Amino acid sequence: MGLDIYAGTLTRYYSHNWKTITQQLSEENGQHYKQVDENGNEIKPVDDIGEIEQIREVICQWSDDIASNIDTSLQTPLWDEKRESEYFTDKPDWEAFGALVMLQACRLLNRPVPECVESGWDAFDEPVVKEAMSQIRDCSLLSEVTLWLPIPKDIIFRTTLPSGNEASISTLTVLKNELEVLNQKMWKADVATILSWRNEKYYVPLKSKKPKLILGFIRGKNHAQKEKYSTEELAQCAYSMLYQATCFGMEQQVPLLLDY
């Protein structure tokens, strides 16, 4: 499955009242787009107000439980699920997000970064990433974190999500610090430069002049022809998306999560 990032209230997320960037682009181009779950069933937004309120109540109780488990001095609610805020979303997909994880692993282990990766590759199968994940415990990008909360704590922990699935969770404070340190160590790029990385440059395979696009995104594992992409350019594009999502989450005081 593809990988999207989402920053917004969890009520909006779990009620499916948001659209991936692929869905938005499809609709802008007059194309029909249907989201499906892992069983192939169509995912439809919840429009019943009562049902949405039930979802919100579950999220609020869950966040209160999180607060009591990690620090009883934290004020609740940890963030405002009742506010009808906007949301941020983008699609790094696994190739680009994996390149960012690879870059972080290589930097922390002082290893050379591979020049390129193939479309459809899996960073979490790479020996250097596995080694970093086994040795480094205080990095959310290397801890399989899928949800970052808008609370002022430096913490990474495992818990049960509102969906019932177990997952690793951290905070936006941790993620922001990781991104800032990575930037200072690797590029020292200013904000304008970071934002410019969110472009189609990274979709262009090495030794090619044209991007290989499906609605603006890399062809995945099912595409017959494997293409090679610059690891650093992939990582920079994912960095830009995650940076923007983190800034949005901190400004709006809403969670950020990986959707796949």
Side-chain angles (χ1 to χ4, degrees):
M1 299 181 70
L3 174 67
D4 294 89
I5 53 178
Y6 165 90
T9 64
L10 295 183
T11 301
R12 181 189 287 276
Y13 176 77
Y14 282 109
S15 64
H16 307 295
N17 281 291
W18 67 287
K19 297 178 180 180
T20 67
I21 194 167
T22 310
Q23 184 175 1
Q24 294 175 39
L25 288 170
S26 296
E27 293 178 353
E28 288 174 7
N29 286 280
Q31 299 173 345
H32 177 68
Y33 183 91
K34 182 173 70 173
Q35 278 192 292
V36 297
D37 60 21
E38 57 186 8
N39 298 315
N41 300 315
E42 184 175 0
I43 299 174
K44 296 182 179 180
V46 176
D47 54 14
D48 181 83
I49 296 176
E51 187 174 350
I52 292 174
E53 188 56 36
Q54 288 179 348
I55 293 172
R56 181 178 287 112
E57 290 175 1
V58 170
I59 300 298
C60 291
Q61 182 59 59
W62 177 82
S63 68
D64 286 350
D65 291 342
I66 291 290
S68 62
N69 287 332
I70 63 176
D71 189 343
T72 55
S73 67
L74 287 172
Q75 292 186 345
T76 56
L78 295 176
W79 66 89
D80 188 1
E81 278 289 325
K82 295 182 179 181
R83 183 166 57 89
E84 294 297 330
S85 63
E86 293 300 313
Y87 63 91
F88 175 94
T89 187
D90 212 329
K91 190 179 186 67
D93 246 337
W94 291 109
E95 286 94 345
F97 183 77
L100 182 61
V101 171
M102 168 75 84
L103 199 70
Q104 182 74 300
C106 290
R107 184 187 70 81
L108 293 174
L109 294 178
N110 196 28
R111 305 287 176 78
V113 178
E115 179 184 354
C116 59
V117 296
E118 286 188 339
S119 57
W121 80 302
D122 187 347
F124 298 97
D125 283 340
E126 297 293 326
V128 66
V129 174
K130 289 182 177 180
E131 182 180 351
M133 292 176 70
S134 68
Q135 294 183 15
I136 300 166
R137 303 297 183 184
D138 58 353
C139 177
S140 68
L141 288 174
L142 293 170
S143 299
E144 297 184 287
V145 168
T146 58
L147 173 62
W148 291 265
L149 303 178
I151 56 179
K153 295 285 288 184
D154 292 342
I155 187 172
I156 301 173
F157 61 100
R158 288 190 68 80
T159 190
T160 301
L161 297 174
S163 63
N165 298 321
E166 188 175 336
S168 293
I169 292 178
S170 188
T171 68
L172 291 175
T173 303
V174 169
L175 181 57
K176 182 181 180 183
N177 181 65
E178 288 177 15
L179 294 176
E180 289 178 343
V181 171
L182 182 61
N183 178 41
Q184 287 303 310
K185 297 293 185 181
M186 297 293 299
W187 306 298
K188 293 182 173 59
D190 58 20
V191 173
T193 300
I194 291 171
L195 297 180
S196 75
W197 289 338
R198 177 57 181 101
N199 55 40
E200 293 187 350
K201 178 182 178 183
Y202 93 118
Y203 303 127
V204 182
L206 298 176
K207 300 181 180 179
S208 176
K209 295 182 179 180
K210 295 182 179 180
K212 301 290 185 180
L213 307 179
I214 291 182
L215 292 174
F217 304 110
I218 296 178
R219 295 178 183 269
K221 295 181 180 179
N222 294 327
H223 185 52
Q225 182 181 359
K226 294 290 187 179
E227 300 281 7
K228 289 187 176 182
Y229 298 85
S230 164
T231 305
E232 186 168 8
E233 288 179 1
L234 281 172
Q236 286 175 333
C237 191
Y239 184 102
S240 180
M241 295 181 192
L242 206 54
Y243 171 84
Q244 293 180 68
T246 302
C247 291
F248 180 90
M250 297 190 80
E251 290 169 0
Q252 298 295 321
Q253 284 297 286
V254 290
L256 185 162
L257 57 79
L258 304 181
D259 175 76
Y260 53 93

